[in-house]
Amino acid sequence: MKVAVVQFRSKLGDFEANLEKTLDFCRRAKEEGAVLCVFPELNLTGYNVWDITFEVAVPLNSPKLSPLLEMSREIDLIVGLVEESPEHVFYNSALYISGGKIKHVHRKVYLPTYGMFDEGRFFGAGKRVKAFNSVLGKSSILICEDLWHMSTVYLSFIQGSGYIFALSASPGRGYREEGMFGNAEVWMNMGEFYARMTGSYFIYANRVGCEDGFVFSGKSFIASPYGELIAEASPFEEEILTAELNEGLIRSARANLPLLRDEKPEITLQNLRRVLDEE
Amino acid sequence: MRSKIERELHIKDRAFIEKVLTHFIREEVTKAGFQKVVVGISGGVDSALTAFLAVKALGKENVIGLSMPYRTSSRSSVEDARLVAEILEIEFHEIKITPQIDAYFQLFPDADNVRRGNKMARERMSILYDFAHWKGALVIGTSNKSELLIGYSTRWGDNAHDINPIGDLYKTQVWEMAEFVGVPERIVKKKPSADLWPGQTDEGEIGLSYRTLDQILIGYVDLRLRREELVEIGFDPVVVDRVLTMVRNSQYKRKLPIICKIAQRTVDKDFLYLRDWGL
């Protein structure tokens, strides 16, 4: 099945403009034969929303989301936005939308609040990493900083996800690599490594464009369950990246390297309990 | 650690960084609704690099160069400014600031070099902004990271501009990039000078070489090393202290005016929006 990753340039704080463009990309992805269209973190709002958080947040029952629900009758999609909970907590969330319904919500668990990042000031932190069934098969969505914590990937793995959707808005930094920012290379290394170690497809959707001199690092990619890059986008351009994903390759990778079969989560759990108790 | 510092200063893929900087210029200028920039060209390497990048980003028809010599400005500065404009084939104006500066200082014949130099820097800023309004352009800045960090600039003078593509490049990196983009060798190789009075050189005034300055700065700022660690790896403690003092004492130059808070939300404190809000 063909999946489309959209390397997106958001207009900061302009939900309607970003929504229009998101729908356009979905139509293009559909024309290219994709069954699922994946967008980066906070693509509907822009990344450095700061105090705009409270102006662009939408409850999940908001009519503002109707065009996306309608679109999902044509093609499944994963989008990023600021979710306002019924209790008025604001989350950096990603939605999986399919067949006219929101089928899954991932709230970003790890909110970077250091250096140039200030997410913890504005967002509440999610508490769950839960696998769900996408059109491709058992899947997990993780958002940016989530993936810098191995535990979230482990949780996806142990639930049997064969498709890890990694949504990010990663500002470029580091000039010690070739043809890309240093952080883009780290993402690729991470994607190849995680894909291989989990026997999963790793689908990385990153932003492009600038927000006040933060230049998002692009280089979205898809890594196969063997840890090989099968599609790779440019560092700067807004574009659609597509690839044919094959469940059989997950089977093949896991037959050759049965890490999921041999995994012992109860040992992890016992040891975690012991470590926490000893503290 | 010393070798890490030296490595850290080196830009590995200068073609890539050139693309980052030109993408930044193009996107930040056009999404703000402009096509053109004005740049003050002094004959030095910082403004030459900036002008080269601006032309690559926006095309020569969208870059306006201004040389604004005072009667004591060195002839080579004036000639090198012309040379940059000739190579780039940009609209170029040479505007002598001697009459207005001298008219003012007739009131204060005993004014020292710093007062005179500051006045010149602010006069140039004022002309750049007049041109910006006249030509429908943004002012593109030419302050490098070394001078920003030690405050080697005139407040609201050369440090006042709309966007700055080279403000995250240390001086030694400006040299690397300038050579790469094709700035004439005699501009890259000449002794840096603010040219505010005859015989002035940056390194003479700052009291150490840019190479040493940049190593201490990248250690302190980018690698977050402490004073003691910088001394341990071989930097002269007197020099380290001088650099760190310059950084601390010039913080006010890097900030907008501070506002006394009395209300719930205050413009400079907790009214947090990027400048690119809605762009």
Side-chain angles (χ1 to χ4, degrees):
Chain A
M1 279 189 276
K2 194 184 260 189
V3 66
V5 171
V6 180
Q7 190 161 275
F8 196 83
R9 174 184 280 112
S10 303
K11 216 171 177 184
L12 184 63
D14 191 339
F15 186 93
E16 280 70 28
N18 294 320
L19 176 68
E20 263 327 296
K21 197 157 73 172
T22 297
L23 296 169
D24 283 346
F25 271 117
C26 286
R27 286 179 205 110
R28 278 176 53 189
K30 163 100 179 152
E31 275 166 24
E32 291 190 28
V35 294
L36 169 61
C37 194
V38 186
F39 292 86
E41 176 182 18
L42 293 175
N43 77 294
L44 289 166
T45 61
Y47 175 65
N48 287 289
V49 277
W50 296 3
D51 272 334
I52 314 171
T53 298
F54 315 107
E55 301 170 37
V56 292
V58 286
L60 294 184
N61 59 3
S62 166
K64 279 187 170 183
L65 297 178
S66 305
L68 294 169
L69 302 188
E70 281 311 306
M71 178 56 70
S72 76
R73 297 181 197 282
E74 306 288 323
I75 181 169
D76 288 14
L77 53 146
I78 297 176
V79 293
L81 47 57
V82 181
E83 176 203 353
E84 181 168 353
S85 76
E87 303 79 23
H88 311 295
V89 178
F90 303 87
Y91 294 100
N92 177 342
S93 293
L95 314 181
Y96 183 83
I97 313 178
S98 170
K101 288 202 178 78
I102 297 170
K103 294 273 178 66
H104 176 74
V105 179
H106 176 72
R107 293 171 172 171
K108 188 173 185 176
V109 175
Y110 288 102
L111 302 171
T113 306
Y114 57 82
M116 66 180 139
F117 302 108
D118 210 7
E119 291 184 34
R121 174 189 269 271
F122 303 100
F123 295 130
K127 295 193 177 78
R128 288 205 320 172
V129 174
K130 190 160 171 20
F132 67 100
N133 288 312
S134 77
V135 62
L136 302 173
K138 187 76 82 64
S139 303
S140 297
I141 298 175
L142 297 170
I143 304 177
C144 211
E145 190 84 356
D146 286 341
L147 290 129
W148 292 72
H149 293 260
M150 292 173 285
S151 51
T152 65
V153 180
Y154 180 79
L155 287 169
S156 307
F157 167 66
I158 205 66
Q159 292 172 77
S161 292
Y163 304 88
I164 297 171
F165 297 102
L167 277 52
S168 104
S170 188
R173 64 266 189 207
Y175 43 78
R176 306 277 311 129
E177 283 71 26
E178 287 188 32
M180 66 182 91
F181 276 115
N183 60 302
E185 188 170 276
V186 174
W187 273 107
M188 277 189 175
N189 293 340
M190 245 162 47
E192 288 163 343
F193 174 78
Y194 283 148
R196 187 186 293 268
M197 302 314 285
T198 60
S200 306
Y201 280 104
F202 189 95
I203 299 121
Y204 175 68
N206 193 20
R207 276 279 312 277
V208 285
C210 300
E211 290 177 3
D212 274 23
F214 292 106
V215 181
F216 294 102
S217 58
K219 296 295 284 182
S220 301
F221 65 86
I222 300 173
S224 82
Y226 277 101
E228 291 162 337
L229 289 184
I230 54 172
E232 187 178 335
S234 70
F236 302 111
E237 304 306 321
E238 197 169 44
E239 61 186 287
I240 294 193
L241 189 67
T242 59
E244 197 72 45
L245 308 192
N246 184 347
E247 179 76 24
L249 206 59
I250 301 173
R251 180 180 191 275
S252 162
R254 290 181 181 178
N256 281 323
L257 189 62
L259 298 177
L260 180 59
R261 183 199 67 190
D262 296 344
E263 185 58 34
K264 296 184 167 64
E266 64 285 357
I267 291 186
T268 306
L269 192 60
Q270 284 161 12
N271 279 275
L272 279 175
R273 284 216 178 94
R274 178 184 54 77
V275 171
L276 289 173
D277 287 347
E278 282 171 5
E279 260 187 9
Chain B
M1 187 55 87
R2 188 73 183 249
S3 64
K4 174 155 179 65
I5 284 178
E6 279 162 25
R7 269 203 315 279
E8 207 70 24
L9 270 171
H10 175 61
I11 293 171
K12 189 164 182 187
D13 184 348
R14 291 179 287 180
F16 176 71
I17 294 304
E18 180 194 307
K19 282 193 195 132
V20 172
L21 301 176
T22 53
H23 268 85
F24 160 79
I25 295 170
R26 198 178 307 125
E27 182 166 334
E28 295 289 8
V29 169
T30 56
K31 76 181 176 184
F34 294 85
Q35 289 178 314
K36 292 175 185 280
V37 291
V38 292
V39 55
I41 303 179
S42 67
V45 67
D46 299 317
S47 60
L49 171 61
T50 305
F52 270 71
L53 291 169
V55 167
K56 279 177 196 270
L58 303 168
K60 62 186 177 187
E61 64 283 1
N62 288 316
V63 179
I64 300 148
L66 292 184
S67 164
M68 294 167 282
Y70 179 67
R71 61 182 158 78
T72 59
S73 298
S74 77
R75 187 191 299 175
S76 72
S77 296
V78 177
E79 283 169 2
D80 287 344
R82 274 183 213 146
L83 175 66
V84 168
E86 275 164 25
I87 294 171
L88 295 175
E89 301 176 320
I90 54 174
E91 180 182 333
F92 181 66
H93 302 263
E94 200 170 278
I95 294 168
K96 296 187 173 61
I97 61 169
T98 305
Q100 58 265 52
I101 299 297
D102 284 354
Y104 179 74
F105 283 109
Q106 271 175 13
L107 302 172
F108 307 103
D110 300 331
D112 63 16
N113 278 337
V114 174
R115 280 181 69 188
R116 287 170 192 274
N118 281 341
K119 180 80 176 133
M120 288 176 220
R122 293 186 184 115
E123 178 59 26
R124 291 180 177 124
M125 177 277 293
S126 149
I127 294 170
L128 286 168
Y129 273 92
D130 179 55
F131 265 73
H133 181 76
W134 176 27
K135 302 280 182 179
L138 291 180
V139 175
I140 190 163
T142 63
S143 303
N144 64 59
K145 190 172 186 175
S146 312
E147 69 185 44
L148 285 172
L149 282 169
I150 61 169
Y152 192 63
S153 63
T154 295
R155 185 162 168 77
W156 316 125
D158 52 309
N159 76 353
H161 39 256
D162 296 315
I163 67 165
N164 178 354
I166 67 163
D168 212 14
L169 296 175
Y170 289 105
K171 184 75 174 190
T172 48
Q173 297 172 328
V174 167
W175 287 329
E176 278 190 308
M177 289 304 298
E179 185 186 35
F180 178 76
V181 302
V183 172
E185 193 181 357
R186 77 172 206 228
I187 296 179
V188 179
K189 290 276 157 69
K190 76 175 162 188
K191 267 200 173 326
S193 169
D195 200 15
L196 292 173
W197 53 86
Q200 182 191 24
T201 65
D202 295 4
E203 291 176 331
E205 221 186 333
I206 299 166
L208 67 160
S209 73
Y210 270 118
R211 210 153 281 286
T212 305
L213 175 66
D214 287 357
Q215 289 184 4
I216 293 171
L217 286 174
I218 204 168
Y220 178 65
V221 175
D222 295 72
L223 299 175
R224 297 182 191 258
L225 299 180
R226 289 164 295 181
R227 177 202 178 272
E228 293 68 27
E229 292 167 307
L230 290 165
V231 171
E232 253 169 48
I233 59 176
F235 291 106
D236 179 348
V238 176
V239 173
V240 171
D241 286 340
R242 187 153 81 239
V243 172
L244 300 192
T245 302
M246 285 192 284
V247 171
R248 191 174 62 235
N249 289 352
S250 60
Q251 178 62 2
Y252 75 96
K253 287 192 182 181
R254 291 180 289 272
K255 304 294 278 186
L256 288 168
I258 51 175
I259 296 170
C260 177
K261 185 174 180 72
I262 58 167
Q264 178 66 30
R265 287 181 80 197
T266 306
V267 168
D268 72 330
K269 291 178 172 58
D270 38 24
F271 183 76
L272 298 174
Y273 300 85
L274 288 197
R275 196 174 87 179
D276 283 352
W277 186 8
L279 300 182

